[in-house]
């Protein structure tokens, strides 16, 4: 069969939201037959299609070997359709068309991990967003929903044959092969199709829904990893209960399966009833994975489960609406996690991610609205902006509405749109109608880029005991979006009496009644002034409590006021926020550090005693990478590094014996629950690293003992970092021990690679040693990320020899795995902020790369990155 290049799709690769058109044909049912052989896979499909509007019958397909195509039983000859590298187009198709297609595909050589691919001994699918078209010709777009029946056939050496829905039948094909037939009764888009073929063990459980449905729960993994699936199983049951209690959403099938895969581009995927997970997001065990990984597993399990309603039953009309499902589902998984550990700490962790990834993205060349209006490669838009800013928009609306009205709004959304493929407008309309509050102004948040600046200013009049707070929003001009609109910004706030340290009861008519104790003011125009009365002293104001809006706040606090909030703010999040603001002033604006150090010294003993988890976060000092993102030009990695080191050393010196005393007094075993124990472990590791700064070599003995005696991965890794990053005498031996101890544990080995790559004094040679190590594998994204992520932890290294590492990786992955290649490359997107000569050097390296790459993913990313 001759495949001709399509001049239209290749010359004009940009897709625009404004060009959306309904599909001309819908698919009522799909019958798939997937026959896996060692060196090819045959996919036969029967689509029952029905015309909906005028137009051609278009079936999308990529990298497929077409064997035959029939319509209503008659084979088409080449003149009856147009075939190119992207699609089959049939003109004048009958209104009712039974389309039968046979293709050959090659999962055994698919390195892109998209479509059907072989990962070790396992065959799995990844079809979001446009992978299904690599399995067979199909109207592969989210607004085409159909009922899938899937027959999977393979060699008996693969005993597990899975697909979405209910198992209808199994049987043998000759002596060597067998098959299974699955039917998914729900209507779903092709991106939610999945199948799995392999040799896996399974952990089983069950869950009875609020409607009385008994759901079989199954987590598949390689045999030795089954004990590491228990935390995920518990999190799954917890998520199912949580969605019933908080959103009234029970599960709708008789089974829910999760499969753990070690080679996976992303974290996990919500395929209907058959989630596929990166092992890093499902395996959890205190002995093998860190506390942070355990928390992540629980939130990813919840996230993919929550998609069953926000994503699967109600899906996206087109991929521009991606944040409809992702932003809402991230907001839901964040709320779930707030119930798992302390809500304040979860919020701190989430805002840290937002500020470290989304804010820089939105202020640089990759800035885009949460709902973009054009793209070349949709895989490039699974971004912090779509996910994290998308979640913040939903959080703002939830804050404004309060629990009860938000629930009425979501109920209305499910009532109106269950079973449909919808838009962001549909979501906002439902939420408005259900709650009775007009939220249409929030559409502006979805449609325009940039982090707004919120400038606040306070004036106190002692004679009237009144305080006037003026608020003003502004957005930096954006070349591609000239007409930026004012945004609705909920400002949660509290006022404190500086004499007593107590919170004032708010007396202000302008605040919103949302059933919450906090005062919330909605700034829905460019500027406003609000007035508080009955204040006996000039108040200290705490703004954006819980980070009520994703904005950059400018307020002329004195350092003393920030130190006051560090000590007296009762909202744990804002206590952390005040600390971070103070630190930014010290590290970026050369304010004196003493006031911070004194406040920490004074406050921490109490906080440690009351809430070790929160205490561990209050010791946060913004990373060099985050600090860099606050600098838009002439950024010198060494300067930021030295300032930050000086501050940490001063803190360590000032804390003196406190670090060791605290270290020795902390008792993991005495903690009431996992989250407090996690806090104690984090604190112990912080104390160790501060002690290492005090130059007391005894710390290495403590660290070494912790390394050896603990069977908990957070403690082991924490101690190993202290040894390795300080070049302790025990470092090499500990690294070797770790390697041998976990030689068969891929996720632990990822830590081994990461810790070495993240050595502050890592060299190009050290990185080369790691990337040429026998356990390094360019086919496993987790392993690649462990080295490049480690390297990225130290901007001095990253922006010197690291640039070549990332460029080489992008060049290689451009062909082998462009999705991951483009994502990794994004980490160089702030090159333009560097001081010379690094700026020009990096720019030249990126330009040289541009001339050598071909994939839409990498080319689009480079085009945006270089357009500054
Ligand atoms: N639907 C996505 C997974 C996905 C994204 C697959 C892009 C293919 C391309 C899934 O629901 C998701 O969002 N996963 C996140 C983790 C989640 C907890 C935010 C991921 O994979 O990083
Ligand atoms: Zn998701």
């Amino acid at each position: 069969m001759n495949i001709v290049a399509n001049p239209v799709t290749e010359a004009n690769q940009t897709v625009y939201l404004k060009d959306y058109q309904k599909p001309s044909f819908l698919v009522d049912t799909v019958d798939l037959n997937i026959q896996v052989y060692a060196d090819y896979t045959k996919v036969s499909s029967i689509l029952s299609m029905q015309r909906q509007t005028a137009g051609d019958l278009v079936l999308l397909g990529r990298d497929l070997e077409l064997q035959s195509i029939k319509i209503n039983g008659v084979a088409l000859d080449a003149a009856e359709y147009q075939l190119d590298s992207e699609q089959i187009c049939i003109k004048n198709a009958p209104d009712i068309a039974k389309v039968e297609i046979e293709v050959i595909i090659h999962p055994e050589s698919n390195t892109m991990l998209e479509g059907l691919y072989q990962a070790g001994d396992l065959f799995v699918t990844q079809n979001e967003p446009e992978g299904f078209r690599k399995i067979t010709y199909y109207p592969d777009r989210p607004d085409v929903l159909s009922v899938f029946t899937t027959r999977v056939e393979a060699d008996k050496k693969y005993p597990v044959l899975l697909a979405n829905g209910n198992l209808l039948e199994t049987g043998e094909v000759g002596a060597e092969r067998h098959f299974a037939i699955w039917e998914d009764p729900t209507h779903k888009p092709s991106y939610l199709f999945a199948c799995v073929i392999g040799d896996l063990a399974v952990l089983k459980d069950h869950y009875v829904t609020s409607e009385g449905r008994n759901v079989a729960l199954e987590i598949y993994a390689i045999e030795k990893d089954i004990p590491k699936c228990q935390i995920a199983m518990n999190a799954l049951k917890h998520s199912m209960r949580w969605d019933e209690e908080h959103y009234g959403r029970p599960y709708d099938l008789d089974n829910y399966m999760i499969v753990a895969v070690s080679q996976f581009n992303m974290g996990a995927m919500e395929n209907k009833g058959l989630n596929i997970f990166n092992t890093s997001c499902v395996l959890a065990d205190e002995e093998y994975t860190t506390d942070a990984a355990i928390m992540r597993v629980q939130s990813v399990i919840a996230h993919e489960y929550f998609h069953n309603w926000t994503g699967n039953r109600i899906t996206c009309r087109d991929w521009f609406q991606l944040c409809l499902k992702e932003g809402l589902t991230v907001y839901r998984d964040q709320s779930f996690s707030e119930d798992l550990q302390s809500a304040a700490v979860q919020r701190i962790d989430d805002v840290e991610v937002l500020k470290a990834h989304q804010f820089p993205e939105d202020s640089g060349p990759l800035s885009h609205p949460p709902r973009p209006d054009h793209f070349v490669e949709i895989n490039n838009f699974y971004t912090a902006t779509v996910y994290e800013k998308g979640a913040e928009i939903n959080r703002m609306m939830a804050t404004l509405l309060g629990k009860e009205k938000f629930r009425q709004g979501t109920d209305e959304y499910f009532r109106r749109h269950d079973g449909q493929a919808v838009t962001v407008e549909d979501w906002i309309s439902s939420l408005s109608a259900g709650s009775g509050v007009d939220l249409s102004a929030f559409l502006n948040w979805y449609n325009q880029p940039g982090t707004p600046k919120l400038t606040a200013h306070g004036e106190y009049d002692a004679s009237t005991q009144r305080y006037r707070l003026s608020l003003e929003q502004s957005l930096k001009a954006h070349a591609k979006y000239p007409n930026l609109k004012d945004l609705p910004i909920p400002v949660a706030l509290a006022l404190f009496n500086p004499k007593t340290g107590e919170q004032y009861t708010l007396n202000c008519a302008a605040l919103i009644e949302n059933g919450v104790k906090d005062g919330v003011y909605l700034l829905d125009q460019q500027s406003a002034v609000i007035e508080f009365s009955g204040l006996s002293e000039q108040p200290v104001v705490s703004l954006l409590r819980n980070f009520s809006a994703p904005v950059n706040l400018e307020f002329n606090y004195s350092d003393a006021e920030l130190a006051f909030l560090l000590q007296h703010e009762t909202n744990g999040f804002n206590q952390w926020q005040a600390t971070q603001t103070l630190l930014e002033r010290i590290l970026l604006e050369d304010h004196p550090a003493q006031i911070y150090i004194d406040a920490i010294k004074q406050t921490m003993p109490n906080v440690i005693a009351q809430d070790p988890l929160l205490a561990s976060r209050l010791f946060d000092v913004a990373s060099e990478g985050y600090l860099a993102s606050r600098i838009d030009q002439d950024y010198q990695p060494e300067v930021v590094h030295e300032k930050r080191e000086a501050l940490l050393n001063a803190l360590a010196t000032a804390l003196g014996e406190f670090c060791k005393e605290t270290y020795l007094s902390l008792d993991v075993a005495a903690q009431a629950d996992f989250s407090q124990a996690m806090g104690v472990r984090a604190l112990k590791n912080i104390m160790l690293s501060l002690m290492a700064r005090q130059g007391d070599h005894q710390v290495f003995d403590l660290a070494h003992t912790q390394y050896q005696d603990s069977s908990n991965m957070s403690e082991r890794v924490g101690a190993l970092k202290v040894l390795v990053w300080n070049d302790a005498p025990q470092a090499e031996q500990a690294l070797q021990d770790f390697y041998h101890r976990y030689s068969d544990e891929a996720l632990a080995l990822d830590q081994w690679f990461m810790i070495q790559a993240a050595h502050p004094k890592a060299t190009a040679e050290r990185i080369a040693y790691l990337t040429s190590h026998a356990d390094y594998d360019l086919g496993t994204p987790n392993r690649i990320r462990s080295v490049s992520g480690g390297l990225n932890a130290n901007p001095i290294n990253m922006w010197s020899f690291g640039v070549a590492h990332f460029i080489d990786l992008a060049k290689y992955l451009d062909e082998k795995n462009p999705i991951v290649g483009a994502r990794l490359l994004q980490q160089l997107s702030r090159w333009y902020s560097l001081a010379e000569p690094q700026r020009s050097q990096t720019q030249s390296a990126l330009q040289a790369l541009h001339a050598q790459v071909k994939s839409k993913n990498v080319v689009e990313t480079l085009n945006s990155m270089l357009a500054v």
Side-chain angles (χ1 to χ4, degrees), residues 30-37 42-44 148-154 161-163 169 171-173 177-183 193 195 197:
V30 195
D31 279 283
L32 288 173
N33 185 8
I34 300 179
Q35 295 165 285
V36 176
Y37 295 92
K42 183 163 129 187
V43 180
S44 318
F148 284 68
T149 305
T150 310
R151 181 179 180 278
V152 192
E153 184 195 304
L161 306 173
L162 307 176
E169 192 185 331
E172 306 204 335
V173 186
R177 295 175 64 79
H178 66 154
F179 72 90
I181 301 177
W182 296 80
E183 183 191 56
F193 170 81
C195 67
I197 297 111

Side-chain angles (χ1 to χ4, degrees), residues 789-805:
L791 185 48
N792 199 11
N794 292 295
I796 295 181
N797 301 342
M798 162 86 179
W799 291 114
S800 49
F801 56 84
V803 172
H805 169 83

